[in-house]
Amino acid sequence: MIVNWTLIISLQLLSAIKMAASRSPRFRIVRGKIISIKNAPWQVSLQVDRAHVCGGSLLSPSVIVTAAHCTQIYSAEEFRIRAGSNYWNSGGQVVQVKKITEHPMFNAATFENDVAILHLRAKLKLNRFTKSIHLASKEPQEGDRVSVSGWGATHDNSTNRSPVLLHANLKIISRQSCSASGYAKKERGITSGMICTSGNHKDACQGDSGGPLVKGGKLVGIVSWGIGCARKDYPGVYTNVAHYRNWILSNKNN
C-alpha cells in the first residue's frame, strides 16, 4: 500500500491549527478593578517593540516565569520587561531579556506544559513596588479564592489595552467540573498540569497570558488559555504551578 505522507502530515497540521485556534491565549482582564502595583509587586509586563504582549511573575531579581505560548514567536533579544509600575508603558524599571527556557514538552495545540523561564540581562532592584513571589508547593483546592492581574481591555471583543494594572477575584473549580463544562463538548482536555477558575463574569483573557494567579501571596497559576473571555460554561484555564514547581526551580538558576 502506498501511503501519501504529505497528505497525512498536512491533515495532522490542519487539525492542530484548528485545535489551537479554538483555545485562545489570554490578553486581558474582563470586569477587573484597578490595583496598585504595591499589592502585586511581582507582576511584570513582557514587551516587544515597546508594546505589552504578556504578563509574568518575578521569581528573583533576574528571573521571570511566564507562559510558554508567550515566547513562541520571539527571540530573547526582542523581549524586555517592565517591573514596579502600575502602567505597562511608563514608570518602574525596564530590563532586557537575556535567555528564554521553554518547557521542552510544551504543546502549542493543547497548551499542555505552558510554562517558560526568562533570565534578565541585569538584576532588578527590589523595593516595595518590585518583589519576588514564592511558588506554591500545593495546588489550590475547589472553592479557594484566588486573584489574577494584568493589563488590557475589559471586554471580550475589545482590542484596546488598559494602561493601568487590573485584577479580578476568582474561585477555583475542580478539574472534574472544568472538564465537564463546555470544553467537554469540544473535547478539550483539562490535565493535571492545569487548574481552572470561575468568577461571576470575571476572567483573564488574551494579553494577560503568562501573568500571575495568586493565593495567599503565593503563585498558584499562570494565565494560559480559554475559549472566549468570561463566557458561560468556559472557565479560565491556568498552568498549575505546583505541578511544575520542580521544573521551574531546576531551570531558575540555569
PDB file of all heavy atoms in Angstrom, residues 59-63 98-99 101 117-119 246-254:
ATOM      1  N   LEU A  59      10.422  35.915  40.047  1.00  0.00           N
ATOM      2  CA  LEU A  59      10.840  34.871  40.984  1.00  0.00           C
ATOM      3  C   LEU A  59      12.103  35.251  41.744  1.00  0.00           C
ATOM      4  O   LEU A  59      12.352  34.748  42.842  1.00  0.00           O
ATOM      5  CB  LEU A  59      11.080  33.556  40.241  1.00  0.00           C
ATOM      6  CG  LEU A  59       9.873  32.938  39.533  1.00  0.00           C
ATOM      7  CD1 LEU A  59      10.256  31.588  38.940  1.00  0.00           C
ATOM      8  CD2 LEU A  59       8.691  32.788  40.486  1.00  0.00           C
ATOM      9  N   SER A  60      12.909  36.110  41.145  1.00  0.00           N
ATOM     10  CA  SER A  60      14.133  36.618  41.766  1.00  0.00           C
ATOM     11  C   SER A  60      14.481  37.906  41.029  1.00  0.00           C
ATOM     12  O   SER A  60      13.829  38.240  40.029  1.00  0.00           O
ATOM     13  CB  SER A  60      15.268  35.594  41.652  1.00  0.00           C
ATOM     14  OG  SER A  60      15.825  35.602  40.353  1.00  0.00           O
ATOM     15  N   PRO A  61      15.495  38.650  41.465  1.00  0.00           N
ATOM     16  CA  PRO A  61      15.817  39.905  40.773  1.00  0.00           C
ATOM     17  C   PRO A  61      16.148  39.755  39.292  1.00  0.00           C
ATOM     18  O   PRO A  61      16.103  40.736  38.551  1.00  0.00           O
ATOM     19  CB  PRO A  61      17.033  40.414  41.556  1.00  0.00           C
ATOM     20  CG  PRO A  61      16.848  39.862  42.928  1.00  0.00           C
ATOM     21  CD  PRO A  61      16.279  38.494  42.711  1.00  0.00           C
ATOM     22  N   SER A  62      16.433  38.528  38.840  1.00  0.00           N
ATOM     23  CA  SER A  62      16.804  38.358  37.430  1.00  0.00           C
ATOM     24  C   SER A  62      16.061  37.227  36.728  1.00  0.00           C
ATOM     25  O   SER A  62      16.440  36.828  35.626  1.00  0.00           O
ATOM     26  CB  SER A  62      18.316  38.108  37.317  1.00  0.00           C
ATOM     27  OG  SER A  62      18.683  36.928  38.015  1.00  0.00           O
ATOM     28  N   VAL A  63      14.984  36.718  37.342  1.00  0.00           N
ATOM     29  CA  VAL A  63      14.260  35.586  36.752  1.00  0.00           C
ATOM     30  C   VAL A  63      12.755  35.839  36.766  1.00  0.00           C
ATOM     31  O   VAL A  63      12.189  36.221  37.795  1.00  0.00           O
ATOM     32  CB  VAL A  63      14.566  34.268  37.494  1.00  0.00           C
ATOM     33  CG1 VAL A  63      13.763  33.109  36.891  1.00  0.00           C
ATOM     34  CG2 VAL A  63      16.054  33.953  37.434  1.00  0.00           C
ATOM     35  N   LYS A  98      17.728  38.133  28.530  1.00  0.00           N
ATOM     36  CA  LYS A  98      18.955  37.507  28.027  1.00  0.00           C
ATOM     37  C   LYS A  98      18.704  36.113  27.463  1.00  0.00           C
ATOM     38  O   LYS A  98      19.284  35.723  26.448  1.00  0.00           O
ATOM     39  CB  LYS A  98      19.986  37.419  29.154  1.00  0.00           C
ATOM     40  CG  LYS A  98      21.294  36.739  28.762  1.00  0.00           C
ATOM     41  CD  LYS A  98      22.309  36.785  29.898  1.00  0.00           C
ATOM     42  CE  LYS A  98      21.881  35.954  31.082  1.00  0.00           C
ATOM     43  NZ  LYS A  98      22.925  35.890  32.142  1.00  0.00           N
ATOM     44  N   LYS A  99      17.817  35.354  28.119  1.00  0.00           N
ATOM     45  CA  LYS A  99      17.642  33.941  27.755  1.00  0.00           C
ATOM     46  C   LYS A  99      16.217  33.498  28.044  1.00  0.00           C
ATOM     47  O   LYS A  99      15.616  33.923  29.029  1.00  0.00           O
ATOM     48  CB  LYS A  99      18.632  33.083  28.553  1.00  0.00           C
ATOM     49  CG  LYS A  99      18.512  31.589  28.353  1.00  0.00           C
ATOM     50  CD  LYS A  99      19.476  30.854  29.287  1.00  0.00           C
ATOM     51  CE  LYS A  99      19.291  29.350  29.214  1.00  0.00           C
ATOM     52  NZ  LYS A  99      20.170  28.633  30.177  1.00  0.00           N
ATOM     53  N   THR A 101      13.869  29.949  28.472  1.00  0.00           N
ATOM     54  CA  THR A 101      13.823  28.490  28.587  1.00  0.00           C
ATOM     55  C   THR A 101      12.368  28.060  28.622  1.00  0.00           C
ATOM     56  O   THR A 101      11.671  28.289  29.614  1.00  0.00           O
ATOM     57  CB  THR A 101      14.542  27.993  29.856  1.00  0.00           C
ATOM     58  OG1 THR A 101      15.891  28.459  29.858  1.00  0.00           O
ATOM     59  CG2 THR A 101      14.533  26.468  29.915  1.00  0.00           C
ATOM     60  N   ILE A 117      10.691  30.153  31.434  1.00  0.00           N
ATOM     61  CA  ILE A 117      11.517  30.970  32.326  1.00  0.00           C
ATOM     62  C   ILE A 117      12.277  32.000  31.492  1.00  0.00           C
ATOM     63  O   ILE A 117      12.841  31.673  30.445  1.00  0.00           O
ATOM     64  CB  ILE A 117      12.541  30.096  33.084  1.00  0.00           C
ATOM     65  CG1 ILE A 117      11.830  29.059  33.958  1.00  0.00           C
ATOM     66  CG2 ILE A 117      13.475  30.964  33.929  1.00  0.00           C
ATOM     67  CD1 ILE A 117      11.085  29.634  35.121  1.00  0.00           C
ATOM     68  N   LEU A 118      12.285  33.249  31.962  1.00  0.00           N
ATOM     69  CA  LEU A 118      13.072  34.307  31.331  1.00  0.00           C
ATOM     70  C   LEU A 118      14.194  34.713  32.277  1.00  0.00           C
ATOM     71  O   LEU A 118      13.947  34.989  33.454  1.00  0.00           O
ATOM     72  CB  LEU A 118      12.213  35.535  31.030  1.00  0.00           C
ATOM     73  CG  LEU A 118      10.927  35.346  30.220  1.00  0.00           C
ATOM     74  CD1 LEU A 118      10.272  36.701  29.985  1.00  0.00           C
ATOM     75  CD2 LEU A 118      11.192  34.644  28.907  1.00  0.00           C
ATOM     76  N   HIS A 119      15.417  34.750  31.762  1.00  0.00           N
ATOM     77  CA  HIS A 119      16.552  35.272  32.522  1.00  0.00           C
ATOM     78  C   HIS A 119      16.881  36.666  31.998  1.00  0.00           C
ATOM     79  O   HIS A 119      16.972  36.873  30.779  1.00  0.00           O
ATOM     80  CB  HIS A 119      17.767  34.354  32.383  1.00  0.00           C
ATOM     81  CG  HIS A 119      17.617  33.061  33.126  1.00  0.00           C
ATOM     82  ND1 HIS A 119      16.996  31.962  32.585  1.00  0.00           N
ATOM     83  CD2 HIS A 119      17.987  32.708  34.381  1.00  0.00           C
ATOM     84  CE1 HIS A 119      17.002  30.975  33.466  1.00  0.00           C
ATOM     85  NE2 HIS A 119      17.585  31.398  34.565  1.00  0.00           N
ATOM     86  N   ASN A 246       9.017  21.759  40.461  1.00  0.00           N
ATOM     87  CA  ASN A 246      10.381  21.222  40.363  1.00  0.00           C
ATOM     88  C   ASN A 246      11.063  21.651  39.070  1.00  0.00           C
ATOM     89  O   ASN A 246      12.257  21.986  39.065  1.00  0.00           O
ATOM     90  CB  ASN A 246      10.366  19.697  40.478  1.00  0.00           C
ATOM     91  CG  ASN A 246      10.030  19.226  41.879  1.00  0.00           C
ATOM     92  OD1 ASN A 246      10.160  19.975  42.844  1.00  0.00           O
ATOM     93  ND2 ASN A 246       9.584  17.987  41.995  1.00  0.00           N
ATOM     94  N   TRP A 247      10.313  21.635  37.961  1.00  0.00           N
ATOM     95  CA  TRP A 247      10.901  22.068  36.685  1.00  0.00           C
ATOM     96  C   TRP A 247      11.280  23.545  36.747  1.00  0.00           C
ATOM     97  O   TRP A 247      12.364  23.939  36.295  1.00  0.00           O
ATOM     98  CB  TRP A 247       9.922  21.830  35.532  1.00  0.00           C
ATOM     99  CG  TRP A 247      10.509  22.217  34.202  1.00  0.00           C
ATOM    100  CD1 TRP A 247      11.258  21.429  33.374  1.00  0.00           C
ATOM    101  CD2 TRP A 247      10.438  23.510  33.570  1.00  0.00           C
ATOM    102  NE1 TRP A 247      11.656  22.148  32.267  1.00  0.00           N
ATOM    103  CE2 TRP A 247      11.164  23.416  32.359  1.00  0.00           C
ATOM    104  CE3 TRP A 247       9.832  24.716  33.904  1.00  0.00           C
ATOM    105  CZ2 TRP A 247      11.299  24.494  31.482  1.00  0.00           C
ATOM    106  CZ3 TRP A 247       9.968  25.801  33.036  1.00  0.00           C
ATOM    107  CH2 TRP A 247      10.689  25.682  31.846  1.00  0.00           C
ATOM    108  N   ILE A 248      10.401  24.368  37.310  1.00  0.00           N
ATOM    109  CA  ILE A 248      10.679  25.805  37.408  1.00  0.00           C
ATOM    110  C   ILE A 248      11.929  26.048  38.252  1.00  0.00           C
ATOM    111  O   ILE A 248      12.827  26.802  37.860  1.00  0.00           O
ATOM    112  CB  ILE A 248       9.471  26.555  38.005  1.00  0.00           C
ATOM    113  CG1 ILE A 248       8.276  26.493  37.045  1.00  0.00           C
ATOM    114  CG2 ILE A 248       9.832  28.016  38.290  1.00  0.00           C
ATOM    115  CD1 ILE A 248       6.974  27.003  37.650  1.00  0.00           C
ATOM    116  N   LEU A 249      12.007  25.398  39.413  1.00  0.00           N
ATOM    117  CA  LEU A 249      13.148  25.604  40.304  1.00  0.00           C
ATOM    118  C   LEU A 249      14.449  25.101  39.687  1.00  0.00           C
ATOM    119  O   LEU A 249      15.505  25.724  39.849  1.00  0.00           O
ATOM    120  CB  LEU A 249      12.895  24.908  41.644  1.00  0.00           C
ATOM    121  CG  LEU A 249      11.785  25.519  42.512  1.00  0.00           C
ATOM    122  CD1 LEU A 249      11.558  24.676  43.761  1.00  0.00           C
ATOM    123  CD2 LEU A 249      12.120  26.958  42.892  1.00  0.00           C
ATOM    124  N   SER A 250      14.382  23.988  38.971  1.00  0.00           N
ATOM    125  CA  SER A 250      15.603  23.430  38.377  1.00  0.00           C
ATOM    126  C   SER A 250      16.128  24.293  37.236  1.00  0.00           C
ATOM    127  O   SER A 250      17.323  24.275  36.934  1.00  0.00           O
ATOM    128  CB  SER A 250      15.355  22.003  37.880  1.00  0.00           C
ATOM    129  OG  SER A 250      14.430  21.991  36.811  1.00  0.00           O
ATOM    130  N   ASN A 251      15.236  25.055  36.595  1.00  0.00           N
ATOM    131  CA  ASN A 251      15.656  25.916  35.482  1.00  0.00           C
ATOM    132  C   ASN A 251      15.839  27.373  35.895  1.00  0.00           C
ATOM    133  O   ASN A 251      16.345  28.175  35.105  1.00  0.00           O
ATOM    134  CB  ASN A 251      14.634  25.839  34.348  1.00  0.00           C
ATOM    135  CG  ASN A 251      14.728  24.542  33.581  1.00  0.00           C
ATOM    136  OD1 ASN A 251      15.547  24.395  32.685  1.00  0.00           O
ATOM    137  ND2 ASN A 251      13.898  23.572  33.955  1.00  0.00           N
ATOM    138  N   LYS A 252      15.441  27.684  37.105  1.00  0.00           N
ATOM    139  CA  LYS A 252      15.536  29.063  37.589  1.00  0.00           C
ATOM    140  C   LYS A 252      16.978  29.557  37.628  1.00  0.00           C
ATOM    141  O   LYS A 252      17.255  30.718  37.298  1.00  0.00           O
ATOM    142  CB  LYS A 252      14.915  29.142  38.984  1.00  0.00           C
ATOM    143  CG  LYS A 252      15.016  30.495  39.652  1.00  0.00           C
ATOM    144  CD  LYS A 252      14.407  30.431  41.054  1.00  0.00           C
ATOM    145  CE  LYS A 252      14.653  31.722  41.814  1.00  0.00           C
ATOM    146  NZ  LYS A 252      14.128  31.647  43.201  1.00  0.00           N
ATOM    147  N   ASN A 253      17.901  28.692  38.008  1.00  0.00           N
ATOM    148  CA  ASN A 253      19.293  29.110  38.190  1.00  0.00           C
ATOM    149  C   ASN A 253      20.210  28.675  37.052  1.00  0.00           C
ATOM    150  O   ASN A 253      21.424  28.827  37.139  1.00  0.00           O
ATOM    151  CB  ASN A 253      19.825  28.553  39.512  1.00  0.00           C
ATOM    152  CG  ASN A 253      19.058  29.092  40.700  1.00  0.00           C
ATOM    153  OD1 ASN A 253      18.732  30.274  40.755  1.00  0.00           O
ATOM    154  ND2 ASN A 253      18.742  28.224  41.656  1.00  0.00           N
ATOM    155  N   ASN A 254      19.630  28.124  35.987  1.00  0.00           N
ATOM    156  CA  ASN A 254      20.451  27.688  34.848  1.00  0.00           C
ATOM    157  C   ASN A 254      20.803  28.857  33.934  1.00  0.00           C
ATOM    158  O   ASN A 254      20.027  29.773  33.779  1.00  0.00           O
ATOM    159  CB  ASN A 254      19.710  26.617  34.042  1.00  0.00           C
ATOM    160  CG  ASN A 254      19.635  25.305  34.791  1.00  0.00           C
ATOM    161  OD1 ASN A 254      20.357  25.095  35.765  1.00  0.00           O
ATOM    162  ND2 ASN A 254      18.759  24.422  34.344  1.00  0.00           N
TER     163      ASN A 254
END
